[in-house]
Amino acid sequence: QVQLVDSGGGLVQAGGSLRLSCAASGRTFSSYAMGWFRQAPGKEREFVAGISRSGRNTDYADLVKGRFTISRDNAKNTVSLQMNSLKPEDTAVYYCSAAYSDFVTYVPPVDKYDSWGQGTQVTVSS
């Protein structure tokens, strides 16, 4: 499996922006589709965004479409989540995740992600 380290969380006012980053090590990063998930207090972890191995294809949860952008840099073994127009309901612990994939342009379903970062807290104040 690949090892993941999340960073970039913090406290921001509603309407503000944050950029989360995830550094990967241990295996060939470009063999993995990558994703971001989040878990708010008292709620189950939910999918936020995914990106294919090549970076060509992406997928977003409806709640974040148009506000969040996932990207990756295979040369640097990193994946990022740019979050704009943040809302208080975006408050959660955000987790980077990886899913091994045989397909370069495929964004896997959520049950395929099996490597996780430690999480980074995002708090949006109203």
Side-chain angles (χ1 to χ4, degrees):
Q1 288 187 333
V2 62
Q3 287 76 51
L4 305 172
V5 178
D6 311 321
S7 63
L11 174 64
V12 64
Q13 288 188 332
S17 298
L18 278 175
R19 186 176 180 87
L20 305 183
S21 295
C22 174
S25 62
R27 290 294 181 101
T28 305
F29 179 68
S30 60
S31 297
Y32 291 82
M34 300 298 296
W36 287 94
F37 291 72
R38 69 187 184 186
Q39 187 167 19
K43 296 187 177 181
E44 294 190 354
R45 186 159 51 191
E46 64 178 0
F47 172 79
V48 174
I51 188 166
S52 62
R53 287 173 49 187
S54 66
R56 183 173 181 177
N57 291 344
T58 58
D59 189 25
Y60 296 92
D62 289 343
L63 288 174
V64 307
K65 279 182 182 177
R67 300 189 296 123
F68 291 10
T69 302
I70 188 172
S71 60
R72 66 187 295 161
D73 185 336
N74 285 347
K76 296 182 178 179
N77 289 1
T78 59
V79 61
S80 299
L81 184 69
Q82 178 66 42
M83 305 186 294
N84 298 329
S85 302
L86 283 161
K87 304 175 181 180
E89 51 264 42
D90 293 319
T91 295
V93 178
Y94 283 71
Y95 297 90
C96 174
S97 187
Y100 182 83
S101 176
D102 290 326
F103 305 103
V104 174
T105 59
Y106 180 59
V107 181
V110 297
D111 63 336
K112 299 300 183 183
Y113 292 88
D114 59 4
S115 294
W116 300 91
Q118 82 284 4
T120 185
Q121 176 71 46
V122 172
T123 302
V124 184
S125 63
S126 57

PDB file of all heavy atoms in Angstrom, residues 37-59:
ATOM      1  N   PHE A  37     -11.929  12.407   1.098  1.00  0.00           N
ATOM      2  CA  PHE A  37     -13.155  12.116   1.819  1.00  0.00           C
ATOM      3  C   PHE A  37     -13.200  13.056   3.030  1.00  0.00           C
ATOM      4  O   PHE A  37     -12.196  13.651   3.400  1.00  0.00           O
ATOM      5  CB  PHE A  37     -13.169  10.654   2.293  1.00  0.00           C
ATOM      6  CG  PHE A  37     -13.294   9.652   1.182  1.00  0.00           C
ATOM      7  CD1 PHE A  37     -12.237   9.402   0.305  1.00  0.00           C
ATOM      8  CD2 PHE A  37     -14.470   8.935   1.011  1.00  0.00           C
ATOM      9  CE1 PHE A  37     -12.345   8.486  -0.723  1.00  0.00           C
ATOM     10  CE2 PHE A  37     -14.587   8.001  -0.012  1.00  0.00           C
ATOM     11  CZ  PHE A  37     -13.526   7.781  -0.875  1.00  0.00           C
ATOM     12  N   ARG A  38     -14.357  13.138   3.657  1.00  0.00           N
ATOM     13  CA  ARG A  38     -14.464  13.931   4.882  1.00  0.00           C
ATOM     14  C   ARG A  38     -15.441  13.287   5.849  1.00  0.00           C
ATOM     15  O   ARG A  38     -16.335  12.554   5.445  1.00  0.00           O
ATOM     16  CB  ARG A  38     -14.876  15.367   4.565  1.00  0.00           C
ATOM     17  CG  ARG A  38     -16.317  15.518   4.045  1.00  0.00           C
ATOM     18  CD  ARG A  38     -16.566  16.956   3.611  1.00  0.00           C
ATOM     19  NE  ARG A  38     -17.946  17.168   3.189  1.00  0.00           N
ATOM     20  CZ  ARG A  38     -18.407  18.300   2.656  1.00  0.00           C
ATOM     21  NH1 ARG A  38     -17.586  19.337   2.468  1.00  0.00           N
ATOM     22  NH2 ARG A  38     -19.675  18.403   2.303  1.00  0.00           N
ATOM     23  N   GLN A  39     -15.245  13.590   7.122  1.00  0.00           N
ATOM     24  CA  GLN A  39     -16.136  13.081   8.148  1.00  0.00           C
ATOM     25  C   GLN A  39     -16.399  14.179   9.156  1.00  0.00           C
ATOM     26  O   GLN A  39     -15.470  14.668   9.823  1.00  0.00           O
ATOM     27  CB  GLN A  39     -15.543  11.857   8.841  1.00  0.00           C
ATOM     28  CG  GLN A  39     -16.505  11.192   9.805  1.00  0.00           C
ATOM     29  CD  GLN A  39     -16.025   9.826  10.248  1.00  0.00           C
ATOM     30  OE1 GLN A  39     -14.855   9.482  10.133  1.00  0.00           O
ATOM     31  NE2 GLN A  39     -16.953   9.019  10.755  1.00  0.00           N
ATOM     32  N   ALA A  40     -17.657  14.569   9.261  1.00  0.00           N
ATOM     33  CA  ALA A  40     -18.088  15.559  10.232  1.00  0.00           C
ATOM     34  C   ALA A  40     -18.503  14.853  11.517  1.00  0.00           C
ATOM     35  O   ALA A  40     -18.842  13.666  11.501  1.00  0.00           O
ATOM     36  CB  ALA A  40     -19.254  16.365   9.670  1.00  0.00           C
ATOM     37  N   PRO A  41     -18.483  15.559  12.647  1.00  0.00           N
ATOM     38  CA  PRO A  41     -18.876  14.941  13.916  1.00  0.00           C
ATOM     39  C   PRO A  41     -20.263  14.327  13.844  1.00  0.00           C
ATOM     40  O   PRO A  41     -21.213  14.970  13.387  1.00  0.00           O
ATOM     41  CB  PRO A  41     -18.837  16.117  14.896  1.00  0.00           C
ATOM     42  CG  PRO A  41     -17.867  17.068  14.305  1.00  0.00           C
ATOM     43  CD  PRO A  41     -18.033  16.951  12.829  1.00  0.00           C
ATOM     44  N   GLY A  42     -20.358  13.083  14.280  1.00  0.00           N
ATOM     45  CA  GLY A  42     -21.646  12.413  14.300  1.00  0.00           C
ATOM     46  C   GLY A  42     -22.130  11.908  12.964  1.00  0.00           C
ATOM     47  O   GLY A  42     -23.258  11.382  12.867  1.00  0.00           O
ATOM     48  N   LYS A  43     -21.306  12.054  11.936  1.00  0.00           N
ATOM     49  CA  LYS A  43     -21.711  11.615  10.591  1.00  0.00           C
ATOM     50  C   LYS A  43     -20.729  10.583  10.048  1.00  0.00           C
ATOM     51  O   LYS A  43     -19.605  10.473  10.512  1.00  0.00           O
ATOM     52  CB  LYS A  43     -21.791  12.806   9.646  1.00  0.00           C
ATOM     53  CG  LYS A  43     -22.859  13.823  10.018  1.00  0.00           C
ATOM     54  CD  LYS A  43     -22.992  14.891   8.954  1.00  0.00           C
ATOM     55  CE  LYS A  43     -24.101  15.871   9.278  1.00  0.00           C
ATOM     56  NZ  LYS A  43     -24.254  16.909   8.228  1.00  0.00           N
ATOM     57  N   GLU A  44     -21.173   9.856   9.041  1.00  0.00           N
ATOM     58  CA  GLU A  44     -20.301   8.893   8.390  1.00  0.00           C
ATOM     59  C   GLU A  44     -19.343   9.611   7.427  1.00  0.00           C
ATOM     60  O   GLU A  44     -19.641  10.707   6.938  1.00  0.00           O
ATOM     61  CB  GLU A  44     -21.135   7.855   7.642  1.00  0.00           C
ATOM     62  CG  GLU A  44     -21.959   6.975   8.554  1.00  0.00           C
ATOM     63  CD  GLU A  44     -22.583   5.804   7.815  1.00  0.00           C
ATOM     64  OE1 GLU A  44     -22.470   5.740   6.582  1.00  0.00           O
ATOM     65  OE2 GLU A  44     -23.187   4.958   8.487  1.00  0.00           O
ATOM     66  N   ARG A  45     -18.247   8.956   7.165  1.00  0.00           N
ATOM     67  CA  ARG A  45     -17.304   9.507   6.199  1.00  0.00           C
ATOM     68  C   ARG A  45     -17.941   9.526   4.819  1.00  0.00           C
ATOM     69  O   ARG A  45     -18.610   8.558   4.425  1.00  0.00           O
ATOM     70  CB  ARG A  45     -16.019   8.681   6.189  1.00  0.00           C
ATOM     71  CG  ARG A  45     -14.926   9.252   5.334  1.00  0.00           C
ATOM     72  CD  ARG A  45     -13.562   8.714   5.730  1.00  0.00           C
ATOM     73  NE  ARG A  45     -13.521   7.278   5.809  1.00  0.00           N
ATOM     74  CZ  ARG A  45     -12.506   6.589   6.326  1.00  0.00           C
ATOM     75  NH1 ARG A  45     -11.449   7.231   6.810  1.00  0.00           N
ATOM     76  NH2 ARG A  45     -12.521   5.287   6.347  1.00  0.00           N
ATOM     77  N   GLU A  46     -17.734  10.615   4.075  1.00  0.00           N
ATOM     78  CA  GLU A  46     -18.349  10.759   2.765  1.00  0.00           C
ATOM     79  C   GLU A  46     -17.314  11.140   1.716  1.00  0.00           C
ATOM     80  O   GLU A  46     -16.313  11.805   2.012  1.00  0.00           O
ATOM     81  CB  GLU A  46     -19.466  11.814   2.796  1.00  0.00           C
ATOM     82  CG  GLU A  46     -19.007  13.218   3.113  1.00  0.00           C
ATOM     83  CD  GLU A  46     -20.147  14.225   3.091  1.00  0.00           C
ATOM     84  OE1 GLU A  46     -21.304  13.845   2.822  1.00  0.00           O
ATOM     85  OE2 GLU A  46     -19.875  15.419   3.353  1.00  0.00           O
ATOM     86  N   PHE A  47     -17.572  10.747   0.512  1.00  0.00           N
ATOM     87  CA  PHE A  47     -16.724  11.056  -0.634  1.00  0.00           C
ATOM     88  C   PHE A  47     -16.840  12.541  -0.963  1.00  0.00           C
ATOM     89  O   PHE A  47     -17.926  13.108  -0.958  1.00  0.00           O
ATOM     90  CB  PHE A  47     -17.161  10.211  -1.823  1.00  0.00           C
ATOM     91  CG  PHE A  47     -16.501  10.553  -3.125  1.00  0.00           C
ATOM     92  CD1 PHE A  47     -15.230  10.107  -3.407  1.00  0.00           C
ATOM     93  CD2 PHE A  47     -17.170  11.316  -4.073  1.00  0.00           C
ATOM     94  CE1 PHE A  47     -14.623  10.407  -4.610  1.00  0.00           C
ATOM     95  CE2 PHE A  47     -16.584  11.616  -5.288  1.00  0.00           C
ATOM     96  CZ  PHE A  47     -15.308  11.165  -5.560  1.00  0.00           C
ATOM     97  N   VAL A  48     -15.684  13.144  -1.268  1.00  0.00           N
ATOM     98  CA  VAL A  48     -15.668  14.545  -1.664  1.00  0.00           C
ATOM     99  C   VAL A  48     -15.255  14.692  -3.128  1.00  0.00           C
ATOM    100  O   VAL A  48     -15.944  15.328  -3.917  1.00  0.00           O
ATOM    101  CB  VAL A  48     -14.695  15.350  -0.778  1.00  0.00           C
ATOM    102  CG1 VAL A  48     -14.560  16.787  -1.290  1.00  0.00           C
ATOM    103  CG2 VAL A  48     -15.154  15.332   0.676  1.00  0.00           C
ATOM    104  N   ALA A  49     -14.121  14.082  -3.487  1.00  0.00           N
ATOM    105  CA  ALA A  49     -13.614  14.226  -4.853  1.00  0.00           C
ATOM    106  C   ALA A  49     -12.664  13.083  -5.172  1.00  0.00           C
ATOM    107  O   ALA A  49     -12.024  12.530  -4.272  1.00  0.00           O
ATOM    108  CB  ALA A  49     -12.895  15.561  -5.025  1.00  0.00           C
ATOM    109  N   GLY A  50     -12.567  12.735  -6.447  1.00  0.00           N
ATOM    110  CA  GLY A  50     -11.641  11.702  -6.895  1.00  0.00           C
ATOM    111  C   GLY A  50     -10.979  12.122  -8.190  1.00  0.00           C
ATOM    112  O   GLY A  50     -11.525  12.926  -8.955  1.00  0.00           O
ATOM    113  N   ILE A  51      -9.798  11.565  -8.425  1.00  0.00           N
ATOM    114  CA  ILE A  51      -9.062  11.888  -9.639  1.00  0.00           C
ATOM    115  C   ILE A  51      -8.379  10.627 -10.145  1.00  0.00           C
ATOM    116  O   ILE A  51      -7.869   9.820  -9.374  1.00  0.00           O
ATOM    117  CB  ILE A  51      -8.040  13.028  -9.374  1.00  0.00           C
ATOM    118  CG1 ILE A  51      -7.405  13.523 -10.673  1.00  0.00           C
ATOM    119  CG2 ILE A  51      -6.980  12.607  -8.358  1.00  0.00           C
ATOM    120  CD1 ILE A  51      -6.661  14.848 -10.505  1.00  0.00           C
ATOM    121  N   SER A  52      -8.386  10.448 -11.450  1.00  0.00           N
ATOM    122  CA  SER A  52      -7.807   9.258 -12.054  1.00  0.00           C
ATOM    123  C   SER A  52      -6.281   9.278 -11.976  1.00  0.00           C
ATOM    124  O   SER A  52      -5.668  10.295 -11.627  1.00  0.00           O
ATOM    125  CB  SER A  52      -8.247   9.163 -13.519  1.00  0.00           C
ATOM    126  OG  SER A  52      -7.758  10.293 -14.258  1.00  0.00           O
ATOM    127  N   ARG A  53      -5.673   8.172 -12.332  1.00  0.00           N
ATOM    128  CA  ARG A  53      -4.223   8.066 -12.293  1.00  0.00           C
ATOM    129  C   ARG A  53      -3.543   9.131 -13.135  1.00  0.00           C
ATOM    130  O   ARG A  53      -2.532   9.704 -12.738  1.00  0.00           O
ATOM    131  CB  ARG A  53      -3.803   6.686 -12.788  1.00  0.00           C
ATOM    132  CG  ARG A  53      -4.066   5.558 -11.832  1.00  0.00           C
ATOM    133  CD  ARG A  53      -3.772   4.214 -12.477  1.00  0.00           C
ATOM    134  NE  ARG A  53      -2.471   4.192 -13.125  1.00  0.00           N
ATOM    135  CZ  ARG A  53      -2.033   3.198 -13.877  1.00  0.00           C
ATOM    136  NH1 ARG A  53      -2.807   2.137 -14.079  1.00  0.00           N
ATOM    137  NH2 ARG A  53      -0.840   3.244 -14.424  1.00  0.00           N
ATOM    138  N   SER A  54      -4.091   9.399 -14.281  1.00  0.00           N
ATOM    139  CA  SER A  54      -3.483  10.382 -15.191  1.00  0.00           C
ATOM    140  C   SER A  54      -3.789  11.810 -14.799  1.00  0.00           C
ATOM    141  O   SER A  54      -3.119  12.736 -15.250  1.00  0.00           O
ATOM    142  CB  SER A  54      -3.982  10.133 -16.609  1.00  0.00           C
ATOM    143  OG  SER A  54      -5.367  10.391 -16.679  1.00  0.00           O
ATOM    144  N   GLY A  55      -4.829  11.995 -13.978  1.00  0.00           N
ATOM    145  CA  GLY A  55      -5.284  13.336 -13.644  1.00  0.00           C
ATOM    146  C   GLY A  55      -6.275  13.887 -14.646  1.00  0.00           C
ATOM    147  O   GLY A  55      -6.811  14.975 -14.471  1.00  0.00           O
ATOM    148  N   ARG A  56      -6.536  13.115 -15.690  1.00  0.00           N
ATOM    149  CA  ARG A  56      -7.403  13.607 -16.758  1.00  0.00           C
ATOM    150  C   ARG A  56      -8.869  13.627 -16.352  1.00  0.00           C
ATOM    151  O   ARG A  56      -9.633  14.502 -16.762  1.00  0.00           O
ATOM    152  CB  ARG A  56      -7.223  12.732 -17.996  1.00  0.00           C
ATOM    153  CG  ARG A  56      -8.016  13.184 -19.192  1.00  0.00           C
ATOM    154  CD  ARG A  56      -7.654  12.382 -20.426  1.00  0.00           C
ATOM    155  NE  ARG A  56      -8.407  12.823 -21.596  1.00  0.00           N
ATOM    156  CZ  ARG A  56      -8.237  12.336 -22.811  1.00  0.00           C
ATOM    157  NH1 ARG A  56      -7.340  11.393 -23.024  1.00  0.00           N
ATOM    158  NH2 ARG A  56      -8.947  12.790 -23.820  1.00  0.00           N
ATOM    159  N   ASN A  57      -9.279  12.661 -15.551  1.00  0.00           N
ATOM    160  CA  ASN A  57     -10.683  12.558 -15.146  1.00  0.00           C
ATOM    161  C   ASN A  57     -10.851  12.822 -13.656  1.00  0.00           C
ATOM    162  O   ASN A  57     -10.031  12.373 -12.842  1.00  0.00           O
ATOM    163  CB  ASN A  57     -11.219  11.174 -15.480  1.00  0.00           C
ATOM    164  CG  ASN A  57     -11.347  10.964 -16.975  1.00  0.00           C
ATOM    165  OD1 ASN A  57     -11.325  11.913 -17.749  1.00  0.00           O
ATOM    166  ND2 ASN A  57     -11.469   9.724 -17.384  1.00  0.00           N
ATOM    167  N   THR A  58     -11.915  13.529 -13.322  1.00  0.00           N
ATOM    168  CA  THR A  58     -12.228  13.828 -11.935  1.00  0.00           C
ATOM    169  C   THR A  58     -13.704  13.573 -11.656  1.00  0.00           C
ATOM    170  O   THR A  58     -14.522  13.481 -12.584  1.00  0.00           O
ATOM    171  CB  THR A  58     -11.900  15.293 -11.588  1.00  0.00           C
ATOM    172  OG1 THR A  58     -12.631  16.160 -12.473  1.00  0.00           O
ATOM    173  CG2 THR A  58     -10.413  15.578 -11.723  1.00  0.00           C
ATOM    174  N   ASP A  59     -14.035  13.467 -10.390  1.00  0.00           N
ATOM    175  CA  ASP A  59     -15.411  13.268  -9.961  1.00  0.00           C
ATOM    176  C   ASP A  59     -15.590  14.011  -8.642  1.00  0.00           C
ATOM    177  O   ASP A  59     -14.666  14.054  -7.823  1.00  0.00           O
ATOM    178  CB  ASP A  59     -15.703  11.776  -9.783  1.00  0.00           C
ATOM    179  CG  ASP A  59     -17.177  11.500  -9.547  1.00  0.00           C
ATOM    180  OD1 ASP A  59     -18.015  12.319  -9.968  1.00  0.00           O
ATOM    181  OD2 ASP A  59     -17.487  10.457  -8.935  1.00  0.00           O
TER     182      ASP A  59
END
